[in-house]
Amino acid sequence: SLADVKWTLATDDGSATRPPLQTPSTKDPNDWRVSVYPLLVWVPFFVADASVPPFPDVPGGPELPGGSGSTSASIDGAALVGFSLEKARWRLDAEGIWGAWTTERETPLLKVDLDVIYGHVSTGVKVYKDLYATAGVRRLALTYDITLGERSPFRRKPGLWDPLVGFGWHAALGPRWELHVTGEGGGFGVGAEVDLSAAARADWRITHHVGVTFGYSVLYLKVKDTVGQHTLTVKQTLQGPVLGFGLYF
């Protein structure tokens, strides 16, 4: 509309005022709605439970016993980007994450270094008011470096495609606020054995097109990676606050 192009409108007495803020609650539901999150910071607590198969201490050497155990929680950071598209009853959400996390137990020593690059896409259809049923996929590129005692690190680099199903609730709460709640589960042994995620995030618009977003996100993965007759099993939980800014169109 003309109000989207001009930032002032004439009133009856000849003065000028800003047009009303166009928000999710005032836009036509049949219009395209685009939200871009160029930078999000996730600061999760990282906990891992690892079962490491026998492996040689040096390449070509004899296999030595593996081991298993759980680590204590540690805090690390990750960088995210994301966007969403919405029109009528349909919604598309996508995000990418890069993170490097370390968690360990001192006695006996178990240290898990995890590098993650992943992309996630889900499509949703509105089933009731602001509730969506969703289906999607998560692509995971994982690098594990695991240290047991005084031995050399054990490394595996599984790459996984996880099918996902879940729900999303996306609701405008007044002229400037919007709340997003999502939950997904999958893996089903196609990629990870188990892939579970949940998030709650609020967007607050400062202007028509700029705002901040903040919330909390949880990711649980159970991954098995078999090479030859040896299977590495790692269960990891990452959960913590998310903060960033958004651009809205």
Side-chain angles (χ1 to χ4, degrees), residues 119-198:
H120 165 252
V121 178
S122 69
T123 301
V125 58
K126 189 177 292 188
V127 293
Y128 179 74
K129 292 186 177 180
D130 298 311
L131 181 65
Y132 292 76
T134 65
V137 64
R138 193 184 335 264
R139 167 60 178 171
L140 293 152
L142 307 171
T143 300
Y144 292 103
D145 286 293
I146 301 175
T147 303
L148 286 169
E150 300 300 320
R151 300 180 59 185
S152 301
F154 172 88
R155 169 171 281 205
R156 286 279 180 86
K157 300 178 69 175
L160 309 171
W161 290 93
D162 287 350
L164 302 168
V165 294
F167 74 92
W169 186 68
H170 307 278
L173 305 177
R176 293 182 181 270
W177 289 91
E178 189 171 9
L179 182 63
H180 308 277
V181 179
T182 60
E184 290 182 304
F188 309 115
V190 177
E193 293 291 302
V194 181
D195 183 331
L196 300 173
S197 63

Side-chain angles (χ1 to χ4, degrees), residues 42-47 72-78 100-103 239-241:
W42 185 25
V43 186
F45 292 89
F46 175 36
V47 178
S72 302
S74 64
I75 301 177
D76 290 285
W101 300 293
T102 298
T103 181
Q239 58 176 317

Side-chain angles (χ1 to χ4, degrees), residues 85-145:
L85 303 174
E86 189 174 340
K87 182 177 175 63
R89 298 178 60 234
W90 294 92
R91 182 180 176 93
L92 176 72
D93 290 277
E95 65 181 9
I97 290 181
W98 177 84
W101 300 293
T102 298
T103 181
E104 65 179 89
R105 179 192 64 197
E106 292 186 0
T107 307
L109 177 63
L110 172 64
K111 182 179 179 181
V112 179
D113 291 311
L114 172 62
D115 287 356
V116 175
I117 299 174
Y118 92 56
H120 165 252
V121 178
S122 69
T123 301
V125 58
K126 189 177 292 188
V127 293
Y128 179 74
K129 292 186 177 180
D130 298 311
L131 181 65
Y132 292 76
T134 65
V137 64
R138 193 184 335 264
R139 167 60 178 171
L140 293 152
L142 307 171
T143 300
Y144 292 103
D145 286 293

Side-chain angles (χ1 to χ4, degrees), residues 188-248:
F188 309 115
V190 177
E193 293 291 302
V194 181
D195 183 331
L196 300 173
S197 63
R201 200 180 72 245
D203 286 26
W204 178 58
R205 293 199 184 193
I206 301 171
T207 68
H208 285 273
H209 301 299
V210 179
V212 294
T213 184
F214 53 91
Y216 200 88
S217 184
V218 180
L219 175 64
Y220 171 82
L221 296 171
K222 180 181 179 182
V223 176
K224 288 188 176 182
D225 182 52
T226 301
V227 176
Q229 301 298 315
H230 302 314
T231 299
L232 167 70
T233 302
V234 183
K235 294 180 284 186
Q236 57 256 300
T237 302
L238 298 115
Q239 58 176 317
V242 176
L243 177 65
F245 68 95
L247 304 174
Y248 310 102

